[in-house]
């Protein structure tokens, strides 16, 4: 997901440009022509929005759902060993 964000929202590439860009994919701004800084600003927003989602998912993977988990009301599941112990 992080690599996709780098590929889909390269805000740094817009900063070095001096041309105008068509706004696509931004609700209410389709068809507007904007300068490079405005386009870079939008792409930077989308990039960091995606990266914050990546960070939140990594925190969930590392720390787990915690005590407020809905799927395990009786506590953590007990895993049985390969010998068949319960």
């Amino acid at each position: 997901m992080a690599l996709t964000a780098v590929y889909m929202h390269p805000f740094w590439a817009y900063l070095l440009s001096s041309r105008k860009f068509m706004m696509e994919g931004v609700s209410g701004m389709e068809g507007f022509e904007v300068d490079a800084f405005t386009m870079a600003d939008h792409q930077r927003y989308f990039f960091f929005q995606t990266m914050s989602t990546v960070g939140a998912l990594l925190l969930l993977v590392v720390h787990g759902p915690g005590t407020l988990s809905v799927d395990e009301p009786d506590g953590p599941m007990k895993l049985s060993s390969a010998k068949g112990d319960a």
Side-chain angles (χ1 to χ4, degrees):
M1 195 168 174
L3 293 176
T4 304
V6 170
Y7 177 74
M8 295 294 291
H9 307 294
F11 63 90
W12 52 90
Y14 293 102
L15 289 174
L16 302 175
S17 179
S18 61
R19 68 185 200 109
K20 300 274 186 182
F21 295 94
M22 293 296 289
M23 277 298 232
E24 298 296 331
V26 179
S27 179
M29 293 196 69
E30 291 92 358
F32 281 97
E33 191 173 278
V34 296
D35 61 343
F37 179 78
T38 304
M39 189 66 169
D41 198 34
H42 278 275
Q43 292 301 320
R44 183 174 31 242
Y45 172 79
F46 296 135
F47 175 80
F48 284 111
Q49 184 180 24
T50 303
M51 294 309 289
S52 67
T53 304
V54 168
L57 290 174
L58 283 175
L59 279 172
L60 186 61
V61 166
V62 170
H63 296 291
T67 58
L68 299 177
S69 176
V70 179
D71 60 341
E72 296 180 25
D74 299 327
M77 290 176 42
K78 296 179 181 40
L79 300 175
S80 62
S81 66
K83 296 178 183 177
D85 298 332

